[in-house]
Amino acid sequence: MAVETVRHSEQLSVLERTQQVIKKALEHMGYAESFYELLKQPLRLMTVRIPIRMDDGSVRVFTGYRAQHNDAVGPTKGGIRFHPTVTPEEVSALSMWMSIKCGLTDLPYGGGKGGIQCDPRTMSAAELERLSRGYVRAISQIVGPTKDIPAPDVYTNAQMMAWMMDEYSRLREFDSPGFITGKPLVLGGSAGRESSTAKGVTIVLREAAKVAGVELSGAKVIIQGFGNAGGYLAKFLHDAGAKIVGISDAGGALYHPDGLDVDYLLEKRDAFGAVTHLFASAISNRELLVQACDILIPAAIENQITDENAADIQAKIVVEAANGPTTAKATEMLTSRGVLLVPDVLASAGGVVVSYFEWVQNNQGYYWSEAEIHQKLDHILVKAFRGVHQIALESKVDMRLAAYIAGLRKMAEAMRWRGWV
């Protein structure tokens, strides 16, 4: 008789792990298996091939993707990443996370995600412009202000969003600022958009600190990652009185129990957030995660806290500013020890909330001040955090499962009312 091999949960792909939590959340709420069958994969996954004339005259063909998880609630929404390791499985999982983020913050969206296999660090501005425009031409039939609204993600920025909006407007022959978010202010961007993810993490952390009984002023904080989100986070928390005792980038990490000079590090980092190479005292990223602190914020890449190092984490609060930094087993281990883990789908929801604000402002042609943006963002995220925490307490589940329960409920109900299941 054949013996079925059961893979350890730590070996599952990010897509498989996401599917596991979705299934568990739907079962907890009492939904039929058909709901899971429809939600375990994106409704659409488009693969495109984009020929680009390079600066040396040669032609390179790039592969890109766009995943649209579910549009029962409304148009899909999610970023576009330019990265060498982009895969269809990755954008599928990320589109599902976007659905959860939109659900738990009560936005009128489903989740979407896109990406192109490329290394923008080796490409000129002219090549990146041609690639950005080529991607929009390739996916133009399935995106738009009422279909699917892209945004910046890993290694993409406001300039690339501007090129993409301009290309889409040319194709449609009318100005379409609501097609994409994360644009420059002069093209209909929103005040506060660039720092919105970090601002959202700061708001959620403030609420988590209250629950965990940690005084934010004077708290020792480690931030893994020093790019856009990590850099803003370090600045926001430093200005709020927290002591940033550790930071890291792709090359290594810095740690000092008495605190680091955040302003100096921000001044010295390069365009990709690298700064540790300037210091002989740098340690490894793995070493940084287990140093003494009150609050640990993984803001870099996935699978950083696993069953191998979860027992050594010293923080009272772990806030996932990155996508998928903590594995399922590590989540279980941290929660059992009383560590308050704020999952990525909640902690990093500030970006999509302010992207929603940008889309609303584009649609109505009226723009808010940065103070108004922050006030609205604060209101939405405080409500979302308290709702997720309440589910965790009442249902006796970890914060990740609670966030998925909160995030899936609206979508499942929309599917039911539409008669899809």
Side-chain angles (χ1 to χ4, degrees):
M1 185 175 70
V3 178
E4 182 180 356
T5 301
V6 179
R7 282 198 291 162
H8 191 275
S9 63
E10 301 295 88
Q11 298 174 320
L12 297 178
S13 71
V14 65
L15 177 59
E16 290 169 322
R17 293 208 309 268
T18 302
Q19 290 170 334
Q20 281 188 344
V21 187
I22 287 176
K23 186 176 182 66
K24 193 181 293 186
L26 290 169
E27 287 174 350
H28 182 89
M29 290 186 285
Y31 285 105
E33 179 73 15
S34 55
F35 284 82
Y36 172 68
E37 286 300 315
L38 194 52
L39 290 170
K40 71 179 183 181
Q41 295 277 359
L43 291 177
R44 298 172 205 90
L45 175 60
M46 189 178 198
T47 302
V48 294
R49 300 280 282 160
I50 311 160
I52 299 298
R53 179 77 63 182
M54 307 303 282
D55 290 345
D56 64 3
S58 66
V59 173
R60 281 184 60 192
V61 180
F62 295 86
T63 301
Y65 307 98
R66 188 67 187 175
Q68 297 172 342
H69 178 230
N70 191 284
D71 54 12
V73 171
T76 49
K77 181 86 185 76
I80 300 168
R81 55 180 51 189
F82 284 14
H83 198 275
T85 64
V86 169
T87 65
E89 290 78 16
E90 179 186 53
V91 295
S92 293
L94 291 169
S95 74
M96 292 153 79
W97 290 351
M98 285 301 301
S99 284
I100 306 298
K101 289 182 184 183
C102 293
L104 63 85
T105 51
D106 200 24
L107 303 184
Y109 292 141
K113 207 73 175 187
I116 301 174
Q117 289 176 356
C118 68
D119 188 349
R121 294 168 295 186
T122 65
M123 299 172 68
S124 70
E127 289 168 341
L128 288 171
E129 177 177 357
R130 291 193 285 271
L131 183 58
S132 299
R133 292 180 182 276
Y135 179 69
V136 170
R137 290 193 298 272
I139 66 169
S140 63
Q141 294 304 309
I142 66 166
V143 295
T146 59
K147 290 183 179 179
D148 181 13
I149 305 105
D153 200 88
V154 176
Y155 290 157
T156 55
N157 55 31
Q159 175 61 79
M160 295 174 189
M161 300 305 104
W163 289 328
M164 291 184 187
M165 187 207 76
D166 183 66
E167 190 67 24
Y168 186 84
S169 296
R170 290 185 186 186
L171 291 171
R172 294 291 175 258
E173 298 183 341
F174 60 85
D175 194 43
S176 305
F179 153 65
I180 204 164
T181 59
K183 304 180 295 295
L185 285 173
V186 294
L187 293 179
S190 176
R193 175 61 183 86
E194 187 179 357
S195 62
S196 58
T197 299
K199 193 71 178 176
V201 174
T202 307
I203 292 167
V204 171
L205 173 55
R206 183 192 71 207
E207 296 304 303
K210 292 177 186 175
V211 167
V214 174
E215 182 62 47
L216 202 50
S217 179
K220 293 186 175 183
V221 182
I222 289 175
I223 302 172
Q224 186 198 30
F226 208 53
N228 181 59
Y232 274 116
L233 263 174
K235 180 63 174 171
F236 290 156
L237 293 174
H238 174 72
D239 291 349
K243 188 179 291 185
I244 310 301
V245 296
I247 63 98
S248 76
D249 56 33
L254 301 174
Y255 177 82
H256 197 291
D258 295 329
L260 300 169
D261 187 338
V262 171
D263 291 330
Y264 176 78
L265 294 174
L266 288 171
E267 180 187 329
K268 292 296 181 181
R269 68 175 180 167
D270 65 20
F272 296 100
V275 71
T276 62
H277 62 281
L278 301 175
F279 298 86
S281 59
I283 60 176
S284 72
N285 263 279
R286 303 298 285 182
E287 289 175 294
L288 178 68
L289 293 173
V290 298
Q291 300 301 317
C293 65
D294 300 303
I295 299 163
L296 173 61
I297 307 176
I301 56 176
E302 63 189 39
N303 296 334
Q304 295 303 291
I305 304 176
T306 69
D307 57 348
E308 294 179 356
N309 63 359
D312 299 321
I313 300 294
Q314 300 186 53
K316 300 181 184 74
I317 303 171
V318 174
V319 181
E320 297 182 332
N323 288 319
T326 312
T327 64
K329 182 61 176 176
T331 297
E332 183 183 311
M333 292 169 67
L334 291 173
T335 303
S336 68
R337 287 174 45 209
V339 176
L340 177 59
L341 187 145
V342 183
D344 46 11
V345 290
L346 173 58
S348 63
V352 69
V353 172
V354 178
S355 272
Y356 165 66
F357 294 161
E358 183 174 333
W359 179 73
V360 169
Q361 291 170 90
N362 293 156
N363 288 343
Q364 66 182 4
Y366 180 78
Y367 292 81
W368 304 320
S369 68
E370 188 164 359
E372 288 176 296
I373 294 290
H374 288 164
Q375 181 184 25
K376 295 175 190 297
L377 177 63
D378 195 284
H379 173 76
I380 287 176
L381 290 183
V382 168
K383 182 180 177 182
F385 176 86
R386 291 176 181 174
V388 169
H389 188 246
Q390 189 68 24
I391 291 171
L393 291 177
E394 291 179 353
S395 300
K396 294 181 172 56
V397 298
D398 63 60
M399 287 283 284
R400 190 181 315 284
L401 181 55
Y404 274 64
I405 291 169
L408 287 167
R409 185 177 287 128
K410 181 177 181 178
M411 189 177 305
E413 284 301 296
M415 287 162 51
R416 186 174 66 81
W417 278 100
R418 285 180 179 270
W420 290 4
V421 284

